[in-house]
C-alpha cells in the first residue's frame, strides 16, 4: 500500500487535461481470473484487502463481470479497485452493478478524485439499508454529506452515476437524480475507483468514465 500511494502522488496532474474522451470499461472479452492489469487493489480502513476477480455471470453483458468476492465482516472496511489510466477532477462516472450477498453490508460505490486509499469522494448504493449516500473520505475518515432512501434490490442489476463538477456533486440511481450537494474539501484531480464495504460480494458489469470539459453543458 505504501508504494501504491507514492505512485499516485507522483503522477503529474497535467494528465487530466489530456484525457478528454469518454471510455467504457467492460469485462466480457476477458477470461475469468485476477483483477485486470488496468486496475490496482487498495483498501480504506481495516480487515483484509479486497479479492477482486473477473467471474462468469450469465446475467451480465458479455457473460462476465468484475467482482469483489472477499466476505471479511470488518465493518469499517472499504475495498477499492482503482482504475489507473486516468486522473480527472471534473468527471461523470457510471457503473452497472448487482449486490450479490453480504450480512454486514451489501453495497456498491463509485470513488472519484481519489488521491490515495484514504482521500476521495464516494457515492454508494446499499441493498440492505435501501438507500444511496454520498460521502467524503479525508485521512481515512468517512463523513456523510447527503443521502436518500430508495429501493435497492439484491441480485438485480442497477446503475449508479456520480457527476462531479467543481464543488457540485450529483448522484443518480437507475436514471433518477437523488442527491445534489456542494463540497470543496477535495478539488484536485484524482483517480476513479470501484468501491464496496465490509462483506459485500458485488458484481460490476461496466464502468463508464466521461470527462467534463470546460464550458460543457450539464
Amino acid at each position: 500500500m505504501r508504494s501504491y500511494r507514492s505512485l499516485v502522488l507522483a503522477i503529474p496532474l497535467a494528465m487530466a487535461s489530456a484525457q478528454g474522451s469518454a471510455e467504457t470499461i467492460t469485462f466480457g472479452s476477458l477470461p475469468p481470473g485476477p483483477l485486470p492489469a488496468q486496475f490496482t487493489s487498495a483498501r480504506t480502513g481495516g480487515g483484509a484487502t479486497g479479492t477482486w476477480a473477473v467471474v462468469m455471470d450469465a446475467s451480465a453483458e458479455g457473460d462476465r463481470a468484475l467482482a469483489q468476492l472477499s466476505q471479511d465482516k470488518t465493518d469499517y472496511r472499504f475495498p477499492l479497485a482503482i482504475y489507473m489510466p486516468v486522473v480527472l477532477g471534473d468527471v461523470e462516472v457510471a457503473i452497472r452493478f448487482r449486490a450479490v450477498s453480504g450480512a454486514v453490508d451489501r453495497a456498491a460505490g463509485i470513488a472519484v478524485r481519489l488521491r490515495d486509499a484514504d482521500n476521495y469522494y464516494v457515492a454508494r448504493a446499499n441493498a440492505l439499508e435501501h438507500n444511496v449516500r454520498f460521502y467524503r473520505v479525508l485521512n481515512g475518515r468517512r463523513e456523510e454529506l447527503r443521502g436518500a432512501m430508495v429501493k435497492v434490490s439484491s441480485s438485480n442489476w442497477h446503475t449508479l452515476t456520480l457527476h462531479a463538477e467543481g464543488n457540485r456533486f450529483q448522484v443518480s440511481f437507475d436514471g433518477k437524480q437523488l442527491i445534489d450537494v456542494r463540497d470543496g474539501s477535495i478539488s484536485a484531480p484524482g483517480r476513479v475507483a470501484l468501491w464496496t464495504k465490509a462483506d459485500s460480494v458485488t458484481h460490476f458489469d461496466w464502468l463508464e468514465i466521461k470527462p467534463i470539459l470546460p464550458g460543457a453543458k450539464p
Side-chain angles (χ1 to χ4, degrees):
M1 181 61 66
R2 186 175 298 109
S3 61
Y4 160 69
R5 287 177 181 166
S6 298
L7 174 63
V8 170
L9 293 173
I11 291 177
L13 297 184
M15 286 179 62
S17 63
Q19 297 165 347
S21 59
E23 59 179 307
T24 301
I25 298 93
T26 60
F27 309 101
S29 63
L30 299 176
L35 184 67
Q38 301 96 324
F39 291 85
T40 292
S41 177
R43 182 199 69 241
T44 308
T49 56
T51 302
W52 296 90
V54 176
V55 299
M56 298 297 297
D57 186 333
S59 66
E61 297 176 11
D63 296 329
R64 291 173 180 81
L66 181 63
Q68 198 297 119
L69 300 172
S70 171
Q71 299 179 54
D72 186 316
K73 289 182 167 58
T74 303
D75 184 64
Y76 201 80
R77 171 182 178 267
F78 310 101
L80 295 156
I82 303 166
Y83 187 63
M84 297 300 288
V86 299
V87 178
L88 295 163
D90 290 346
V91 63
E92 182 173 285
V93 183
I95 57 172
R96 185 172 186 252
F97 75 91
R98 68 184 187 99
V100 176
S101 66
V104 176
D105 259 279
R106 204 170 292 175
I110 304 163
V112 299
R113 297 187 189 172
L114 185 147
R115 295 300 296 146
D116 56 38
D118 289 334
N119 295 278
Y120 53 88
Y121 288 106
V122 59
R124 73 99 177 98
N126 191 304
L128 291 183
E129 299 176 4
H130 294 294
N131 58 31
V132 170
R133 291 180 177 171
F134 180 68
Y135 300 89
R136 64 185 171 202
V137 180
L138 299 175
N139 299 318
R141 180 175 176 270
R142 188 181 65 151
E143 181 179 355
E144 182 182 344
L145 297 177
R146 193 68 55 85
M149 301 303 296
V150 67
K151 176 68 174 179
V152 184
S153 55
S154 297
S155 298
N156 295 321
W157 290 101
H158 301 282
T159 60
L160 183 69
T161 304
L162 172 56
H163 183 102
E165 186 171 4
N167 68 353
R168 186 179 185 184
F169 301 87
Q170 297 165 295
V171 182
S172 299
F173 178 76
D174 284 345
K176 180 181 179 181
Q177 184 177 305
L178 299 177
I179 294 171
D180 190 335
V181 65
R182 294 181 184 271
D183 184 74
S185 300
I186 305 173
S187 58
R191 299 203 185 277
V192 169
L194 303 174
W195 177 103
T196 67
K197 181 178 186 293
D199 62 342
S200 301
V201 173
T202 307
H203 288 197
F204 296 87
D205 194 3
W206 44 255
L207 166 67
E208 184 179 72
I209 303 171
K210 295 180 180 179
I212 300 171
L213 303 179
K217 294 182 179 180

